[in-house]
Amino acid sequence: PGYFFHNSSVLCECLGLSMKWAMPLAEIKRITGTLAALGINIFVPHGLYYSISGHRKRECIPDFYHNTMWEYFGDWAKWIRTLGTLTAKADEHLADTVLLYPATSQQASIEVGTGAPYVDQGERCIKQDKLWTATGDILVQNAIPFEIINEDILCNGNVCNGELQITLPNGNIHKIHSIVLVSSWIIGDKTYEKLQEFAKSGGCIIAEGEQLSAVFTGKEILPVTPEKEFYTAIYDVEDKAGLEQTDLPVLLAKKQQVTRVTITGGQNSIVKKEWIKYGHYFALIQNFTRNKIGKVEIRGDFQPVTVDLDSMQFFRAKDSVLVKDFEYGEVLLLTDCEGELPELPAVQPIPENRLNLII
């Protein structure tokens, strides 16, 4: 995430392969809303040319200048600008689960490793990437917010009472309670020491795929056998088995301590993001499928306020439990704030007929 690296914004090109002539605006909201829930706050539509002169006019891929959506592009731009403003420069992301991506050590294993079991011509890295992606999908599909950290971020953190505490650029402390090692068979020696400290302090470390068997000292690779107490849980799975692994999200859900809302129903259909900004709590809940999702129960430890992203009107719920259906592409924004928020651009409601428009 950008805020670990002293950046307030994360950019992503979008709508490249998805732009088709029969694409509704609801699909654009579904794609960009899901990306926002995953941490993107600056969106660059693919093929958004400054001119259609010359060969651009005959570009074979349909894009904004070549179809009827251009008339309504401003509506979506206002909507996504509001969402991006709310999610950018967050004081803190409420995600205490992280995936460790030890890219430095993996590269070292390719360049330095000699002799079994340390030989790696890239096969182990490829296997790790596949399972790492599958693990991320599991967390997304089970509405478990998570962050991604590398070895430098891990080693610069402080361990205290079962938490890995990372100081953010704004001075706030990001608290991590669960670390997932995905086929991390080799890590740096400093990383190993920090993970040992975290485990002994009561932190949760989960191994999925190939287990840790070596450390890289900067000059050589040495064998290592972690103590039994090092791991909270171990999942010995193959590349694709993680997609059906149910124990992992169940365990991580129990370990979460910073989340303020839990979701029942809509499995494999709902993605969630929680953060603090302007001194208020926010949760972005998105139906990332093309189907209507019925009877999703959202339970909070507060009486939530829903925010209409089109009109920016605030509606207080009657109690701490919301039961609703999620329409195609629908985004739900919850907060504990009941009034106007600063820095938000003025927006106009998008007419219902525009949301259902087929290009």
Side-chain angles (χ1 to χ4, degrees):
Y3 83 144
F4 279 149
F5 295 99
H6 300 262
N7 296 319
S8 60
S9 300
V10 180
L11 180 148
C12 179
E13 182 186 13
C14 58
L15 310 178
L17 300 176
S18 56
M19 279 301 299
K20 299 179 180 179
W21 290 104
M23 182 179 183
L25 287 176
E27 174 69 358
I28 298 175
K29 291 184 70 175
R30 183 189 74 85
I31 293 172
T32 51
T34 301
L35 288 174
L38 295 177
I40 305 301
N41 48 53
I42 296 180
F43 300 83
V44 179
H46 175 80
L48 188 59
Y49 308 127
Y50 67 89
S51 169
I52 59 171
S53 63
H55 70 277
R56 297 184 186 91
K57 189 172 183 179
R58 295 171 178 81
E59 172 68 35
C60 61
I61 301 175
D63 44 61
F64 292 111
Y65 279 104
H66 295 181
N67 52 51
T68 55
M69 196 189 78
W70 184 246
E71 178 183 353
Y72 309 102
F73 178 77
D75 295 324
W76 170 77
K78 291 177 181 178
W79 182 84
I80 204 63
R81 181 177 61 175
T82 301
L83 188 57
T85 301
L86 279 172
T87 56
K89 298 181 181 179
D91 296 332
E92 182 184 354
H93 293 169
L94 300 181
D96 53 359
T97 296
V98 298
L99 299 184
L100 177 65
Y101 193 73
T104 303
S105 294
Q106 292 288 2
Q107 183 64 28
S109 72
I110 296 175
E111 297 182 358
V112 182
T114 57
Y118 310 125
V119 175
D120 181 15
Q121 302 299 324
E123 296 87 354
R124 276 173 154 170
C125 291
I126 293 173
K127 183 176 181 180
Q128 182 196 44
D129 283 346
K130 289 181 179 180
L131 184 56
W132 199 82
T133 300
T135 303
D137 289 341
I138 292 173
L139 302 188
V140 169
Q141 293 168 6
N142 286 271
I144 298 177
F146 67 97
E147 301 290 356
I148 299 167
I149 62 173
N150 59 21
E151 292 173 276
D152 289 338
I153 295 175
L154 175 71
C155 292
N156 288 330
N158 296 314
V159 175
C160 180
N161 298 325
E163 298 177 346
L164 176 66
Q165 301 178 350
I166 299 174
T167 302
L168 302 176
N170 57 17
N172 290 340
I173 303 297
H174 186 98
K175 299 178 180 180
I176 295 170
H177 297 106
S178 300
I179 300 175
V180 182
L181 305 181
V182 182
S183 285
S184 298
W185 71 278
I186 180 172
I187 56 177
D189 53 351
K190 301 298 182 184
T191 303
Y192 184 47
E193 292 173 4
K194 183 65 69 172
L195 288 174
Q196 284 182 311
E197 182 185 2
F198 178 70
K200 291 178 180 179
S201 179
C204 174
I205 299 179
I206 299 174
E208 187 172 14
E210 189 173 2
Q211 296 178 39
L212 179 63
S213 60
V215 296
F216 177 63
T217 66
K219 296 181 179 180
E220 57 183 342
I221 296 177
L222 301 175
V224 64
T225 302
E227 298 177 3
K228 183 178 180 181
E229 294 76 15
F230 183 81
Y231 294 120
T232 303
I234 298 175
Y235 297 118
D236 186 13
V237 298
E238 297 298 329
D239 286 351
K240 295 183 179 180
L243 293 173
E244 291 79 41
Q245 179 62 265
T246 57
D247 293 335
L248 178 63
V250 170
L251 175 59
L252 290 176
K254 292 180 179 179
K255 294 292 183 178
Q256 290 185 103
Q257 298 183 30
V258 299
T259 184
R260 296 189 62 186
V261 295
T262 57
I263 299 175
T264 305
Q267 279 76 15
N268 301 323
S269 303
I270 301 293
V271 62
K272 178 182 68 172
K273 175 184 176 68
E274 298 176 81
W275 70 100
I276 302 294
K277 185 172 182 177
Y278 308 130
H280 292 285
Y281 167 84
F282 293 91
L284 181 65
I285 302 171
Q286 162 81 31
N287 171 14
F288 63 81
T289 72
R290 294 184 177 91
N291 304 313
K292 180 177 179 178
I293 308 299
K295 294 184 179 179
V296 175
E297 181 181 285
I298 303 168
R299 183 180 300 273
D301 62 1
F302 64 104
Q303 194 169 356
V305 175
T306 60
V307 184
D308 188 315
L309 281 166
D310 296 326
S311 65
M312 287 311 299
Q313 293 181 326
F314 295 73
F315 304 92
R316 172 163 285 282
K318 294 181 179 180
D319 53 41
S320 61
V321 180
L322 293 175
V323 180
K324 71 182 304 298
D325 297 336
F326 276 83
E327 301 294 337
Y328 171 23
E330 183 176 358
V331 176
L332 176 66
L333 179 64
L334 299 180
T335 183
D336 58 7
C337 176
E338 297 188 60
E340 295 183 358
L341 297 170
E343 300 181 17
L344 291 180
V347 295
Q348 298 296 326
I350 301 178
E352 185 65 27
N353 63 330
R354 292 191 177 187
L355 290 179
N356 298 322
L357 174 72
I358 300 295
I359 299 171

